[in-house]
Amino acid sequence: MALAVIRTPSIEPWKPLQRKPLPAGRPREWYVTHNRRLKAMRLAIALLDAGVYVPSKATNATIRTTADRIGIHPPSDSTCRMVRALIRYGR
């Protein structure tokens, strides 16, 4: 038997999670890759919220416009490729 659950929206405003410091002692490339992945995830979520569900619709220009709209620095070509990969594999 199926049971439907009705959720009521929370009255509390949304608050982002508190950031933790990154672990010390890693090579610089690890931090660069880590931050690039975080940026790509933020952009992929923003694009999906905007209705871009297909990687072919997520051109570099679209991704950079979205980055400007949500207030982050314009991504590199590598980050744009990573955003498209996240959209592709999230389906």
Side-chain angles (χ1 to χ4, degrees):
M1 175 179 359
L3 178 65
V5 177
I6 301 173
R7 293 182 50 175
T8 57
S10 174
I11 298 173
E12 298 295 321
W14 178 81
K15 294 180 183 174
L17 296 174
Q18 189 172 8
R19 292 184 178 190
K20 297 178 187 175
L22 293 175
R26 305 266 172 121
R28 176 173 164 65
E29 187 58 35
W30 184 89
Y31 297 105
V32 171
T33 304
H34 177 77
N35 289 329
R36 179 171 284 147
R37 286 179 184 156
L38 290 178
K39 186 180 210 176
M41 282 191 284
R42 283 189 209 106
L43 286 167
I45 290 168
L47 286 166
L48 290 170
D49 287 344
V52 179
Y53 302 112
V54 182
S56 62
K57 298 281 186 184
T59 62
N60 286 359
T62 305
I63 294 170
R64 289 185 176 118
T65 303
T66 303
D68 186 47
R69 193 177 60 216
I70 63 175
I72 59 178
H73 290 284
S76 65
D77 291 340
S78 299
T79 306
C80 290
R81 278 193 303 273
M82 197 176 286
V83 169
R84 284 189 287 276
L86 286 171
I87 292 172
R88 180 180 308 117
Y89 294 120
R91 296 179 83 205

